[in-house]
């Protein structure tokens, strides 16, 4: 695992965009794994800029997002599909048919999860996965637990996550209690992973990433078993 400590959020966003852009330039028909949350917004803004100035072409890129609230319609403005459309897909020359987000209205969430993993495999797997990190060490919506599920699945959210994510909703009662999420197994199959962490609230969990312990009670620590992970964090998240 490599850790790159950046001066600030702008530098994290720029460096992350340079890495994603390199991937797209090296393999124009690559498969990107994408994340939501406030952290990758700066990365997406930089990618939009690079697309506008002709540096990168998304026309042959395929994307798979990590997760989606359940149940929530894709056109609900709190859905992750809506987030991705607004922050990235509607602003770049990507073919929307090549962008995938788990279906938050799937009648059979178990079948949806299985089909999602099969679809990723059918596209040759994820070349580069972008990740954020929850304050409790959750990745996507893989919450701390004794057991984790490897594949894409329906899961309950912890109180900690419901509270942290309530800032995007009118009231905490509006936050869905469940989500469809790629499992740690689906995520670990990505060939390369970049994890973005910004601000003091992430310092405790980033500290846990620096020691050699791996535990399902901090799902992000499983990434220590992956051969190609880069953590991009600012000084605050690095505890400096
Ligand atoms: C949500 C998402 C995660 C994301 C996390 C952190 O729970 N499911 O994928 O990493 O939020 O969000 P933020 O970047 O806003 O701190």
């Amino acid at each position: 695992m490599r850790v790159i400590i950046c001066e600030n959020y702008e530098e994290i966003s720029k460096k992350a965009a340079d890495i994603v852009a390199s991937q797209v330039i090296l393999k124009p028909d690559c498969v990107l794994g994408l994340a939501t949350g406030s952290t990758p917004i700066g990365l997406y803004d930089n990618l939009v800029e690079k697309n506008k100035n002709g540096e990168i072409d998304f026309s042959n890129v395929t994307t798979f997002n990590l997760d989606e609230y359940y149940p929530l319609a894709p056109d609900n403005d709190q859905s992750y599909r809506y987030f991705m459309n607004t922050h990235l897909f509607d602003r770049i020359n990507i073919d929307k048919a090549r962008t995938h987000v788990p279906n938050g209205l799937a009648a059979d969430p178990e079948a949806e999860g299985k089909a999602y993993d099969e679809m990723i495999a059918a596209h040759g797997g994820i070349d580069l996965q972008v990740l954020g990190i929850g304050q409790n060490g959750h990745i996507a919506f893989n919450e701390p637990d004794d057991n984790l599920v490897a594949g894409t699945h329906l899961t309950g959210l912890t109180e900690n996550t419901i509270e942290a994510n309530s800032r995007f909703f009118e009231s905490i009662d509006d936050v869905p209690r469940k989500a469809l999420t790629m499992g740690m197994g689906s995520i670990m199959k990505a060939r390369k992973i970049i994890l973005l962490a910004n601000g003091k609230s992430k310092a405790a969990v980033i500290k846990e990433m620096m020691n050699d312990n791996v535990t399902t009670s901090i799902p992000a620590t499983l990434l220590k078993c992956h051969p190609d992970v880069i953590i991009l964090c600012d000084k605050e998240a690095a505890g400096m």
Side-chain angles (χ1 to χ4, degrees):
M1 209 167 58
R2 265 178 66 204
V3 182
I4 301 178
I5 300 173
C6 302
E7 226 18 78
N8 50 34
Y9 179 66
E10 285 66 40
E11 194 187 335
I12 296 178
S13 305
K14 249 179 117 321
K15 280 213 161 76
D18 287 343
I19 293 170
V20 176
S22 309
Q23 174 65 71
V24 176
I25 290 166
L26 283 170
K27 188 177 173 190
D29 62 347
C30 66
V31 178
L32 299 177
L34 298 177
T36 51
S38 48
T39 313
I41 291 177
L43 155 66
Y44 297 152
D45 287 343
N46 276 275
L47 290 178
V48 169
E49 202 47 50
K50 285 179 185 294
N51 185 227
K52 284 216 171 87
N53 70 22
E55 214 179 305
I56 38 173
D57 172 15
F58 284 96
S59 59
N60 289 312
V61 170
T62 298
T63 67
F64 286 92
N65 260 80
L66 287 169
D67 47 9
E68 179 61 282
Y69 287 114
Y70 187 90
L72 205 60
D75 58 357
N76 184 303
D77 62 6
Q78 297 301 337
S79 76
Y80 284 167
R81 161 53 79 179
Y82 190 95
F83 175 102
M84 289 309 299
N85 286 348
T86 348
H87 287 286
L88 188 65
F89 302 149
D90 287 342
R91 303 164 71 202
I92 57 174
N93 73 330
I94 198 161
D95 174 1
K96 277 271 185 71
R98 289 178 186 264
T99 68
H100 305 91
V101 180
N103 176 10
L105 289 182
D108 183 345
E110 201 178 311
E112 167 72 12
K114 203 167 166 278
Y116 201 70
D117 286 331
E118 283 169 3
M119 199 158 41
I120 296 173
H123 281 83
I126 291 170
D127 292 297
L128 174 64
Q129 174 70 57
V130 176
L131 296 177
I133 187 169
Q135 290 169 28
N136 62 0
H138 75 239
I139 292 291
F141 275 128
N142 294 281
E143 297 278 23
D145 210 335
D146 289 345
N147 296 292
L148 298 178
V149 181
T152 301
H153 61 283
L154 185 67
T155 186
L157 308 187
T158 62
E159 282 309 315
N160 177 301
T161 299
I162 292 167
E163 205 185 305
N165 290 4
S166 66
R167 67 188 193 277
F168 300 113
F169 292 80
E170 251 174 52
S171 111
I172 192 160
D173 298 330
D174 294 339
V175 187
R177 266 45 187 173
K178 288 184 180 171
L180 269 165
T181 181
M182 271 165 64
M184 288 309 294
S186 325
I187 294 165
M188 296 279 283
K189 283 184 191 150
R191 286 185 265 285
K192 191 174 194 68
I193 296 176
I194 55 171
L195 184 149
L196 280 45
N198 173 57
K200 257 201 273 260
S201 68
K202 304 288 167 73
V205 72
I206 291 299
K207 194 171 170 205
E208 294 292 342
M209 295 297 289
M210 306 299 179
N211 66 35
D212 208 26
N213 295 338
V214 175
T215 168
T216 59
S217 61
I218 308 173
T221 60
L222 270 75
L223 298 173
K224 296 175 193 179
C225 304
H226 189 283
D228 194 353
V229 178
I230 297 177
I231 296 183
L232 286 162
C233 60
D234 70 342
K235 287 186 168 169
E236 282 189 345
M240 293 167 72

